[in-house]
Amino acid sequence: MAAKLKKGDKVVMLAGKDKGKEGTISSINPKSGKAVIDGINISIRATRQTQESQGGRIPKAMPVDLSNCALLDANGKATRVGFKMDGDKKVRFAKTTGDVI
């Protein structure tokens, strides 16, 4: 099945402590149905100092469920994603505006 949300998409959070915040998908795991979004679902991780990195309390973006994210359309509003055939190619489109993503 084709993915409705992909790496690099601009999304808005629909639920949780970061509801309404916007970010860009930095990585996605289709098997677990989760994505890591820049600046969203930040938790503090205490890490030990190594030769490469400084130790301490480091903020890290944790995965969020894909069902709690919605794609942003050209107008900056949340939209659902549909699929249609553009010639002989399958493309994603925004349901609110009909624009190809």
Side-chain angles (χ1 to χ4, degrees), residues 1-6 28 30 66 81-84 90-92:
M1 191 175 104
K4 294 190 179 206
L5 295 174
K6 296 185 177 184
I28 200 158
L66 287 174
V81 179
F83 293 97
K84 64 181 177 182
K90 187 176 182 183
V91 294
R92 298 184 300 156

Short mmCIF file of all heavy atoms in Angstrom, two decimals, residues 1-6 28 30 66 81-84 90-92:
data_model
loop_
_atom_site.label_atom_id
_atom_site.label_comp_id
_atom_site.label_asym_id
_atom_site.label_seq_id
_atom_site.Cartn_x
_atom_site.Cartn_y
_atom_site.Cartn_z
N MET A 1 0.84 -1.19 0.00
CA MET A 1 0.00 0.00 0.00
C MET A 1 0.88 1.25 0.00
O MET A 1 1.90 1.29 0.69
CB MET A 1 -0.88 -0.01 1.24
CG MET A 1 -1.96 1.04 1.22
SD MET A 1 -3.05 0.89 2.62
CE MET A 1 -2.46 2.24 3.60
N ALA A 2 0.50 2.25 -0.75
CA ALA A 2 1.28 3.48 -0.82
C ALA A 2 1.11 4.28 0.47
O ALA A 2 0.06 4.25 1.10
CB ALA A 2 0.82 4.30 -2.01
N ALA A 3 2.17 5.00 0.85
CA ALA A 3 2.15 5.79 2.08
C ALA A 3 1.47 7.14 1.83
O ALA A 3 1.75 7.81 0.84
CB ALA A 3 3.56 6.00 2.57
N LYS A 4 0.57 7.50 2.74
CA LYS A 4 -0.10 8.79 2.61
C LYS A 4 0.79 9.93 3.09
O LYS A 4 0.74 11.03 2.56
CB LYS A 4 -1.41 8.78 3.39
CG LYS A 4 -2.40 7.81 2.78
CD LYS A 4 -3.76 7.93 3.37
CE LYS A 4 -4.68 6.95 2.68
NZ LYS A 4 -6.05 7.34 2.69
N LEU A 5 1.61 9.67 4.11
CA LEU A 5 2.57 10.65 4.61
C LEU A 5 3.97 10.12 4.37
O LEU A 5 4.25 8.95 4.61
CB LEU A 5 2.35 10.90 6.10
CG LEU A 5 1.02 11.54 6.47
CD1 LEU A 5 0.88 11.60 7.98
CD2 LEU A 5 0.87 12.91 5.87
N LYS A 6 4.86 11.00 3.91
CA LYS A 6 6.23 10.60 3.59
C LYS A 6 7.22 11.54 4.24
O LYS A 6 6.86 12.62 4.71
CB LYS A 6 6.44 10.60 2.07
CG LYS A 6 5.59 9.59 1.35
CD LYS A 6 5.92 9.55 -0.12
CE LYS A 6 5.09 8.48 -0.80
NZ LYS A 6 5.43 8.34 -2.21
N ILE A 28 10.31 8.06 9.20
CA ILE A 28 9.01 7.39 9.29
C ILE A 28 9.24 5.88 9.38
O ILE A 28 10.19 5.36 8.81
CB ILE A 28 8.14 7.77 8.07
CG1 ILE A 28 6.68 7.52 8.35
CG2 ILE A 28 8.58 7.09 6.83
CD1 ILE A 28 5.77 8.32 7.46
N PRO A 30 6.88 2.74 8.72
CA PRO A 30 5.56 2.27 8.31
C PRO A 30 5.11 1.01 9.04
O PRO A 30 3.92 0.78 9.22
CB PRO A 30 5.71 2.00 6.82
CG PRO A 30 7.14 2.11 6.50
CD PRO A 30 7.85 2.71 7.65
N LEU A 66 1.00 8.05 13.36
CA LEU A 66 0.63 8.73 12.11
C LEU A 66 -0.83 9.17 12.11
O LEU A 66 -1.19 10.12 11.42
CB LEU A 66 0.89 7.80 10.92
CG LEU A 66 2.35 7.59 10.56
CD1 LEU A 66 2.47 6.54 9.47
CD2 LEU A 66 2.99 8.88 10.11
N VAL A 81 -5.36 12.89 2.62
CA VAL A 81 -4.61 12.58 1.40
C VAL A 81 -5.36 11.52 0.61
O VAL A 81 -5.82 10.53 1.16
CB VAL A 81 -3.19 12.08 1.73
CG1 VAL A 81 -2.43 11.73 0.47
CG2 VAL A 81 -2.44 13.12 2.53
N GLY A 82 -5.47 11.75 -0.69
CA GLY A 82 -6.08 10.78 -1.58
C GLY A 82 -5.10 10.41 -2.68
O GLY A 82 -4.05 11.03 -2.83
N PHE A 83 -5.45 9.39 -3.43
CA PHE A 83 -4.62 8.94 -4.55
C PHE A 83 -5.44 8.99 -5.83
O PHE A 83 -6.65 8.71 -5.82
CB PHE A 83 -4.13 7.51 -4.33
CG PHE A 83 -3.16 7.38 -3.19
CD1 PHE A 83 -3.59 6.98 -1.94
CD2 PHE A 83 -1.82 7.65 -3.38
CE1 PHE A 83 -2.71 6.86 -0.89
CE2 PHE A 83 -0.93 7.54 -2.33
CZ PHE A 83 -1.37 7.14 -1.09
N LYS A 84 -4.80 9.39 -6.92
CA LYS A 84 -5.45 9.35 -8.23
C LYS A 84 -4.40 9.07 -9.28
O LYS A 84 -3.20 9.21 -9.04
CB LYS A 84 -6.19 10.66 -8.51
CG LYS A 84 -5.32 11.89 -8.63
CD LYS A 84 -6.17 13.12 -8.89
CE LYS A 84 -5.31 14.37 -8.94
NZ LYS A 84 -6.11 15.58 -9.13
N LYS A 90 0.57 7.00 -10.43
CA LYS A 90 -0.28 7.18 -9.24
C LYS A 90 0.31 8.31 -8.41
O LYS A 90 1.49 8.27 -8.05
CB LYS A 90 -0.30 5.88 -8.43
CG LYS A 90 -1.26 5.88 -7.27
CD LYS A 90 -1.25 4.51 -6.62
CE LYS A 90 -2.21 4.43 -5.50
NZ LYS A 90 -2.16 3.13 -4.83
N VAL A 91 -0.49 9.34 -8.11
CA VAL A 91 0.00 10.50 -7.36
C VAL A 91 -0.89 10.75 -6.14
O VAL A 91 -2.05 10.36 -6.11
CB VAL A 91 0.04 11.78 -8.24
CG1 VAL A 91 1.06 11.64 -9.34
CG2 VAL A 91 -1.33 12.09 -8.80
N ARG A 92 -0.30 11.44 -5.15
CA ARG A 92 -1.06 11.85 -3.96
C ARG A 92 -1.65 13.23 -4.23
O ARG A 92 -1.05 14.05 -4.90
CB ARG A 92 -0.14 11.95 -2.75
CG ARG A 92 0.51 10.65 -2.35
CD ARG A 92 1.32 10.79 -1.08
NE ARG A 92 2.38 11.78 -1.22
CZ ARG A 92 2.95 12.42 -0.19
NH1 ARG A 92 2.56 12.20 1.03
NH2 ARG A 92 3.92 13.29 -0.40
#
